[in-house]
């Protein structure tokens, strides 16, 4: 007899090995140290969204280190995304931009609230005695915008592919997370105000340590991963004494920032914001009572969009990538990456021609412009002028800092460093963005259906599987692996082994080395630290 169930299985059976119905609960329940939470099954993956890991951060808790959440009675429903930190993120990243439509920046779920310390979990199994590696992802958007609730960070496909647990984290941003008050005569309890957003991330990792076994995770194999601003967050955690021991591998993708905020610059920004609000630091309680909406408007009015953790305070004594001296977490295996045309997101002059490209280069390097153009054309003869421009800006703003970071870590010794370059161009928007910033994020999460990685195309699926699998093995053992017998050896300052993700996967010695050596010439080296 042809039933509705047999019809559905007939349609889906080729793609789904497991039956659509099972005896497992549709709404699984897990028990955290603060109370029980209810999630929902999505196929074989249990997902819990909006689990609190910290108390609300408004009122008297504003600018203060995070507190643990109050325990709750009964079962808390964690069925959908809840809150994100107040921000001007959508205003700063206009949906009319084709790039921001491409990465789905305007599609994030949730409402703005200072009760924003929550995280999301995807797991293949609860309490089943299988200790799985854990990925903890920190979202991009610098330190002033973004959310873990963005579709680009959906963790179920990665959890399914590698039998791993995936966690994504919301935390405080901009002035709510990084308003430096310590040098303005405020009470000692506000000494960490310039880094409380980073302390939120430490609190999330502590929650993982204390609770992840319930979700099938192994607290002794935690990998932190972040792209762009998320990569800068990973670098921040590498430098924080309080984060020591809470993670065991780290992945930084296109996170070119070498320096964070100085006390002097951060204090000047705080004084500007206080002046705009008509307040004095001596009246800190009034600042805690300002509606967050007014705070965000004042930030935007001043054009303050480059908040960062403040270095030189107890919570963050130093920059991680700014000294030859050993640092906390040097014993943590590290993976570092960039994409070939990271910087394509910043420009819209898609109709740039060869003459215009030469003018762009001449505006910055009048004496070397023709040599630079010839060098890039020799490496990429068929690329559009727009993408050659993007490659040059990517080399200066992403790869040069990345190489500085990697070389510094190698010189300091400790755990190995692995490096990859994503060279495959996104086919979206007729390929005009190339291998643009963010393209490797859905690949890391094995989200091959995303348009930026081909919308389910065969090549896109293969590349997503390759990168996600390499990251899974890195999380599992500290050593990434590639298919086909390719050996991905650690990065060194001599051979410079780099995995190259393109239509043909490869591991190369110093890819694009001629361009690297050009920018390292004494006449071309400026201080790329930001």
């Amino acid at each position: 007899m042809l039933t509705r169930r047999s019809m559905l299985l007939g349609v889906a059976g080729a793609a789904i090995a497991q039956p659509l119905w099972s005896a497992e609960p549709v709404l699984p329940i897990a028990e955290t140290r603060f109370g029980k939470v209810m999630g929902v099954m999505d196929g074989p993956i249990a997902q819990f969204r909006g689990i609190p890991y910290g108390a609300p951060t408004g009122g008297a808790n504003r600018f203060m280190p995070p507190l643990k959440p109050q325990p709750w009675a009964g079962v808390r429903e964690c069925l959908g995304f809840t809150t994100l930190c107040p921000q001007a993120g959508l205003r700063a990243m206009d949906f009319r931009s084709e790039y921001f439509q491409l990465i789905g920046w305007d599609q994030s779920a949730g409402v703005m609230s200072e009760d924003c310390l929550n995280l999301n979990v995807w797991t293949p199994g609860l309490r089943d005695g299988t200790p799985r590696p854990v990925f903890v992802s920190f979202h991009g958007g610098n330190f002033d915008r973004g959310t873990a609730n963005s579709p680009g960070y959906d963790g179920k496909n990665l959890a399914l592919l590698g039998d791993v647990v995936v966690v994504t984290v919301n935390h405080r941003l901009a002035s709510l997370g990084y308003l430096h008050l310590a040098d303005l005569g405020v009470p000692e309890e506000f000494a960490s105000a310039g880094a409380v957003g980073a302390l939120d991330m430490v609190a999330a990792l502590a929650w993982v340590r204390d609770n992840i076994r319930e979700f099938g995770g192994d607290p002794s194999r935690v990998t932190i991963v972040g792209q762009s601003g998320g990569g800068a967050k990973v670098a921040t955690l590498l430098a924080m004494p309080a984060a020591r021991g809470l993670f065991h591998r780290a992945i930084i993708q296109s996170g070119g920032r070498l320096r964070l905020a100085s006390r002097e610059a951060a204090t000047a920004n705080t004084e500007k914001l206080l002046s705009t609000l008509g307040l004095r630091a001596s009246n800190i309680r009034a600042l805690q009572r300002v509606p967050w909406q007014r705070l965000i408007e004042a930030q935007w009015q001043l054009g303050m969009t480059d908040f960062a953790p403040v270095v030189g305070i107890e919570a963050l004594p130093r920059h991680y990538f700014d000294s030859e001296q050993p640092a906390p977490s040097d014993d943590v295996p590290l993976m570092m990456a960039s994409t070939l045309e990271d910087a394509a997101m910043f420009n819209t002059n898609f109709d740039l021609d060869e003459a215009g490209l030469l003018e762009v280069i001449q505006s910055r390097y009048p004496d070397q412009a023709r040599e630079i153009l010839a060098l890039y054309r020799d490496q990429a003869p068929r690329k559009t002028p727009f993408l050659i421009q993007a490659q040059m800006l990517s080399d200066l703003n992403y790869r040069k800092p990345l190489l500085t970071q990697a070389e510094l870590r190698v010189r300091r010794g400790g755990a190995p460093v692995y490096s990859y370059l994503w060279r495959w161009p996104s086919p979206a928007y007729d390929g005009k963005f190339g291998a643009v910033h963010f393209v490797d994020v859905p690949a890391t999460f094995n989200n091959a259906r995303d348009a930026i990685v081909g919308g389910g195309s065969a090549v896109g699926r293969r590349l997503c599987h390759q990168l996600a699998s390499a990251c899974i093995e890195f999380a599992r053992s500290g050593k990434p692996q590639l298919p086909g017998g390719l050996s991905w050896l650690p990065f060194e300052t001599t051979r410079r082994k780099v995995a190259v993700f393109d239509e043909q996967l490869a591991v190369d010695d110093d890819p694009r080395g001629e361009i690297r050596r050009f920018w390292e010439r004494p006449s071309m080296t400026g201080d790329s630290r930001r």
Side-chain angles (χ1 to χ4, degrees), residues 276-336:
T276 300
L277 294 169
L279 295 173
R280 297 177 181 272
S282 57
N283 193 1
I284 187 65
R285 304 303 173 188
L287 183 59
Q288 289 182 307
R289 292 192 296 270
V290 171
W292 65 256
Q293 293 88 343
R294 175 70 184 113
L295 208 57
I296 298 303
E297 289 287 357
Q299 288 173 196
W300 187 257
Q301 179 182 341
L302 290 167
M304 296 172 66
T305 60
D306 193 27
F307 285 91
V310 178
V311 174
I313 61 178
E314 183 177 355
L316 185 59
R318 57 172 288 179
H319 306 279
Y320 187 69
F321 289 114
D322 198 36
S323 172
E324 299 283 346
Q325 296 300 314
S329 302
D330 277 357
D331 59 342
V332 172
L334 180 61
M335 184 186 295
M336 309 187 73

Side-chain angles (χ1 to χ4, degrees), residues 322-529:
D322 198 36
S323 172
E324 299 283 346
Q325 296 300 314
S329 302
D330 277 357
D331 59 342
V332 172
L334 180 61
M335 184 186 295
M336 309 187 73
S338 67
T339 70
L340 183 59
E341 284 110 6
D342 257 312
M345 67 171 176
F346 293 119
N347 296 102
T348 58
N349 56 341
F350 301 108
D351 58 352
L352 186 69
D353 59 17
E354 204 74 2
L357 174 61
L358 182 60
E359 290 180 8
V360 168
I361 301 172
Q362 285 175 330
S363 68
R364 297 187 63 167
Y365 304 102
D367 297 331
Q368 300 92 353
R370 293 189 181 278
E371 181 183 4
I372 292 170
L373 181 55
L375 185 63
Y376 277 84
R377 271 289 166 227
D378 182 63
Q379 293 277 326
R382 291 186 295 275
K383 290 280 186 176
T384 66
F386 172 82
L387 291 177
I388 294 294
Q389 169 190 249
Q391 285 185 18
M392 184 183 76
L393 294 175
S394 300
D395 285 327
L396 294 170
N397 296 315
Y398 289 97
R399 267 179 293 284
K400 191 174 181 181
L402 180 148
L403 289 169
T404 300
Q405 293 168 340
E407 291 165 0
L408 184 65
R409 251 293 295 261
V410 169
R411 288 197 301 272
R412 287 205 306 237
V417 177
Y418 298 89
S419 181
Y420 79 78
L421 171 66
W422 183 279
R423 198 163 61 191
W424 185 66
S426 169
Y429 287 86
D430 300 317
K432 67 182 180 181
F433 285 106
V436 68
H437 199 64
F438 195 81
V439 65
D440 52 340
V441 173
T444 301
F445 283 84
N446 198 36
N447 289 329
R449 67 181 178 182
D450 282 22
I452 196 170
V453 285
S457 69
V459 176
R461 292 199 311 273
R462 185 177 74 246
L463 282 163
C464 288
H465 187 277
Q466 289 170 344
L467 179 57
S469 296
C471 291
I472 289 164
E473 186 54 37
F474 179 69
R476 198 176 304 280
S477 68
K479 299 178 181 178
Q481 290 185 2
L482 297 172
L486 286 173
S487 179
W488 187 352
L489 296 175
F491 179 89
E492 298 173 352
T493 55
T494 51
R495 296 191 66 183
R496 298 176 175 272
K497 287 285 186 182
V498 176
V500 180
F501 287 86
D502 205 340
E503 196 149 350
Q504 294 297 320
L505 183 65
V507 178
D508 291 344
D509 286 353
D510 197 14
R512 306 176 74 251
E514 190 176 357
I515 288 175
R516 174 188 63 81
R517 289 188 292 273
F518 173 83
W519 292 117
E520 289 178 352
R521 290 181 187 175
S523 60
M524 304 305 298
T525 54
D527 190 348
S528 63
R529 294 174 295 184

Side-chain angles (χ1 to χ4, degrees), residues 90-322:
L90 294 178
R91 179 72 182 275
M93 294 184 167
D94 197 315
F95 79 95
R96 292 171 293 182
S97 159
E98 290 179 332
Y99 173 72
F100 291 124
Q101 289 196 23
L102 175 62
I103 66 172
W105 192 267
D106 58 322
Q107 296 179 329
S108 299
V111 297
M112 294 187 192
S113 168
E114 286 188 85
D115 185 5
C116 62
L117 303 189
N118 61 75
L119 49 78
N120 313 301
V121 179
W122 290 264
T123 178
L126 298 171
R127 302 175 298 276
D128 61 359
T130 303
R132 299 171 175 86
V134 182
F135 278 86
V136 181
S137 166
F138 298 102
H139 65 78
N142 213 333
F143 290 94
D144 60 277
R145 54 192 178 269
T147 172
N149 304 349
S150 170
Y153 305 111
D154 189 291
K156 60 179 172 287
N157 285 316
L158 182 62
L160 180 61
L161 175 67
D163 194 31
V164 297
V165 179
V166 180
V167 180
T168 63
V169 181
N170 284 310
H171 49 78
R172 279 175 283 183
L173 302 166
S175 61
L176 295 169
Y178 304 102
L179 193 70
H180 183 55
L181 298 166
D183 295 324
L184 292 173
V186 300
E188 180 64 24
E189 61 193 289
F190 293 95
S192 298
V196 292
L199 289 173
D200 292 344
M201 293 184 274
V202 174
L205 290 171
W207 184 96
V208 169
R209 177 197 61 200
D210 296 339
N211 295 278
I212 208 64
R213 287 190 189 277
E214 174 76 2
F215 296 85
D218 182 354
S220 70
R221 286 188 297 173
V222 174
T223 298
I224 56 174
V225 56
Q227 184 266 353
S228 192
K233 292 167 189 173
V234 170
T236 301
L237 288 165
L238 285 166
M240 295 183 72
R244 176 80 174 143
L246 294 177
F247 59 91
H248 314 93
R249 334 260 191 253
I251 301 175
I252 298 175
Q253 299 168 311
S254 300
R257 185 190 286 265
L258 296 175
R259 288 176 176 167
L260 300 169
S262 69
R263 294 178 72 133
E264 295 76 16
T267 298
N269 279 340
T270 300
E271 289 173 332
K272 290 177 186 177
L273 187 62
L274 290 172
S275 176
T276 300
L277 294 169
L279 295 173
R280 297 177 181 272
S282 57
N283 193 1
I284 187 65
R285 304 303 173 188
L287 183 59
Q288 289 182 307
R289 292 192 296 270
V290 171
W292 65 256
Q293 293 88 343
R294 175 70 184 113
L295 208 57
I296 298 303
E297 289 287 357
Q299 288 173 196
W300 187 257
Q301 179 182 341
L302 290 167
M304 296 172 66
T305 60
D306 193 27
F307 285 91
V310 178
V311 174
I313 61 178
E314 183 177 355
L316 185 59
R318 57 172 288 179
H319 306 279
Y320 187 69
F321 289 114
D322 198 36

